[in-house]
Amino acid sequence: MRILIVDDEPAMHDSYRRSFAPVGDGINPALDAMAAELFGANVAALPADPLQSFALVHALQGMEGVAAVAAAQRDDDPIAVAFIDVRMPPGIDGRETAARIRAIDPEIHLVIVTGYSDFAPIEIARVAGPADKLFYIAKPFEVAEVQQMATALVHRWENDRELTAARLTLAEQVVQLQEQGHELAANESRAMHLASHDSLTEAPNRLAFRRALAERARSNVQFAVAMVDLDRFKLVNDTLGHLAGDELIRAMCGVLQRSVPEGGMVARLGGDEFGLLFDTPGQDAAAADCERIAKACATTFKVLGHSVHGGASIGLIATEPGETRDPVDLMRRADLALNDAKRDGRGIVRVFDDGMDETIRLAARSRPASRARSRATSSVSPISRSSGASGSRSSGSRRCCGGTPMRTARSAPMCSSRSPRNPT
């Protein structure tokens, strides 16, 4: 670790050298002799002194010390602790030196070493703080005092640097996690969009349409469901190719989105079929809106350099207040109305009625026959059964429609209407 000594007296620099000199380097012969006497001649075999890690940088004037700190920062070899004298004529004093060093290196620990009270500690702290990085030692100092101060501050400086690096790493990881979170959210949103939208037109697909229809069916709002099928689309697809067909579908989808009533939904259900879902005050208003949409679709499109006349047929069903709304049945009925419109030509709007539904027609035809069978069954009286008691009717007799007993073939012959001729 590097330590800066800023003092105008060369003798003080020698004192610092002796204070931080490791045992056995020849700088302090008295200490070397004491070590040899205590531990033997082979001092080199002793464990390494931790003070050996201190590299001293000396400056005789304040500006020289400032330049040394600036060079250390530039070379990415920062100084951990600076011991600064207060009085250093003729240059800048220790207060100004500390302020300039602090401006260059905010992390360095500064130790003001002085025997005078030229500046109050609070004055120096005001320009060279923060207070937890600014310390004081009075001259003359003890060697152990300087060593302990330097050792403690160097360790603290190392810990501060490690903590700062850990904070930077943590901050980078937090930013990275945030970016990954945003990316995951974007991917999830993109996946949900792809799952509910058509890749060709970017319009909602059949799944999204059915969900929206189910939600609307649970409400009390009147709405209309319309199925749209493009006219002559197969001809365009077969003659001009699939790319032209795709371009026509995109163009027609744009027309539908611009023409649907405000707040309405346009979904591509597949192929050249679209679904419309919009609020309406009633069937007549919904039919008028669909007529307007069909008219907007009956226009000429420029498709891959070719002029193509567009058109659409529409099947429609509008809900009524208070009725049961089954989303699947609503789509089925709108489809039946569309089939009826396609049978009658192009560019036609058909509103669903019960006559289009074979299931409803079969149910309507079966109701009269069922009622007739019910009346016939109710008009026939049940046959009495013999209990075997005297006076009960024979099992061979039955009643006619008027309730009169009728004899069976085993009974005696009935009286003739003609009188028998008298024997003479």
Side-chain angles (χ1 to χ4, degrees):
M1 294 295 114
R2 305 180 73 196
I3 295 178
L4 174 65
I5 309 298
V6 185
D7 200 300
D8 62 329
E9 297 181 16
M12 290 302 301
H13 288 273
D14 293 338
S15 298
Y16 281 110
R17 288 189 184 94
R18 287 192 296 270
S19 298
F20 293 116
V23 176
D25 65 350
I27 295 179
N28 195 332
L31 289 177
D32 292 346
M34 184 180 298
E37 182 179 352
L38 291 174
F39 303 107
N42 191 11
V43 179
L46 295 174
D49 192 328
L51 294 179
Q52 291 178 355
S53 60
F54 293 157
L56 301 185
V57 179
H58 296 274
L60 294 173
Q61 288 292 314
M63 289 304 299
E64 186 181 348
V66 172
V69 172
Q73 289 291 103
R74 184 173 56 253
D75 298 338
D76 196 22
D77 187 15
I79 296 174
V81 182
F83 289 85
I84 304 173
D85 187 20
V86 172
R87 291 183 178 182
M88 294 180 291
I92 59 176
D93 56 31
R95 175 178 175 274
E96 181 65 20
T97 301
R100 296 193 183 190
I101 289 176
R102 175 65 67 206
I104 297 172
D105 186 355
E107 302 301 324
I108 191 172
H109 290 280
L110 302 179
V111 182
I112 305 300
V113 183
T114 182
Y116 304 97
S117 58
D118 296 5
F119 302 101
I122 191 171
E123 294 181 34
I124 301 177
R126 189 178 293 117
V127 297
D132 64 339
K133 294 183 182 295
L134 186 61
F135 305 89
Y136 300 89
I137 292 181
K139 287 184 178 180
F141 54 76
E142 297 289 337
V143 172
E145 183 182 12
V146 173
Q147 291 176 348
Q148 291 175 0
M149 177 73 75
T151 302
L153 293 182
V154 164
H155 289 165
R156 183 176 177 181
W157 180 81
E158 289 178 328
N159 292 337
D160 289 344
R161 284 174 62 86
E162 292 175 359
L163 181 59
T164 300
R167 285 175 176 171
L168 291 175
T169 302
L170 181 60
E172 292 174 357
Q173 291 175 347
V174 169
V175 172
Q176 184 178 5
L177 288 175
Q178 289 176 343
E179 292 176 351
Q180 291 176 350
H182 294 326
E183 185 178 355
L184 287 175
N187 290 338
E188 182 181 3
S189 177
R190 192 179 304 112
M192 293 179 64
H193 180 83
L194 293 175
S196 59
H197 286 75
D198 173 55
S199 59
L200 179 61
T201 62
E202 289 297 319
N205 58 14
R206 180 179 290 271
L207 176 62
F209 185 78
R210 292 187 65 172
R211 286 178 178 172
L213 178 56
E215 182 178 354
R216 196 71 61 91
R218 288 191 294 268
S219 68
N220 296 323
V221 179
Q222 284 184 264
F223 62 91
V225 180
M227 296 296 165
V228 182
D229 194 79
L230 305 189
D231 298 331
R232 293 180 293 270
F233 175 75
K234 187 176 185 303
L235 177 63
V236 174
N237 217 27
D238 292 344
T239 56
L240 300 181
H242 293 291
L243 292 179
D246 292 345
E247 187 65 26
L248 179 60
I249 287 176
R250 280 192 290 264
M252 192 65 76
C253 181
V255 172
L256 293 174
Q257 290 172 335
R258 291 189 295 270
S259 305
V260 72
E262 185 177 359
M265 179 182 189
V266 177
R268 186 188 177 206
L269 305 183
D272 61 336
E273 185 178 5
F274 292 86
L276 308 181
L277 178 63
F278 56 91
D279 295 338
T280 183
Q283 179 174 288
D284 294 340
D289 286 331
C290 288
E291 291 286 355
R292 178 177 51 80
I293 293 172
K295 185 176 180 181
C297 292
T299 185
T300 301
F301 298 92
K302 203 71 174 178
V303 178
L304 300 182
H306 301 276
S307 295
V308 177
H309 185 71
S313 300
I314 303 177
L316 168 70
I317 183 169
T319 61
E320 298 293 336
E323 68 176 351
T324 302
R325 301 167 176 180
D326 180 9
V328 176
D329 190 59
L330 289 174
M331 291 183 66
R332 184 182 67 84
R333 296 189 179 197
D335 265 328
L336 292 174
L338 174 62
N339 293 337
D340 195 75
K342 296 290 284 187
R343 281 194 298 268
D344 291 346
R346 300 186 180 95
I348 295 176
V349 176
R350 282 287 181 269
V351 180
F352 174 81
D353 62 61
D354 291 346
M356 299 177 184
D357 194 342
E358 184 66 24
T359 304
I360 296 177
R361 290 202 303 270
L362 289 175
R365 285 199 299 267
S366 65
R367 278 195 294 270
S370 176
R371 285 197 295 268
R373 287 194 299 271
S374 177
R375 286 196 299 270
T377 303
S378 62
S379 64
V380 177
S381 300
I383 299 175
S384 300
R385 298 182 180 273
S386 174
S387 61
S390 59
S392 63
R393 295 184 180 89
S394 170
S395 60
S397 65
R398 59 187 177 89
R399 292 182 178 269
C400 65
C401 294
T404 305
M406 298 180 62
R407 297 183 182 274
T408 62
R410 294 188 299 271
S411 303
M414 299 174 62
C415 296
S416 173
S417 59
R418 291 180 297 176
S419 300
R421 200 164 21 177
N422 294 329
T424 53

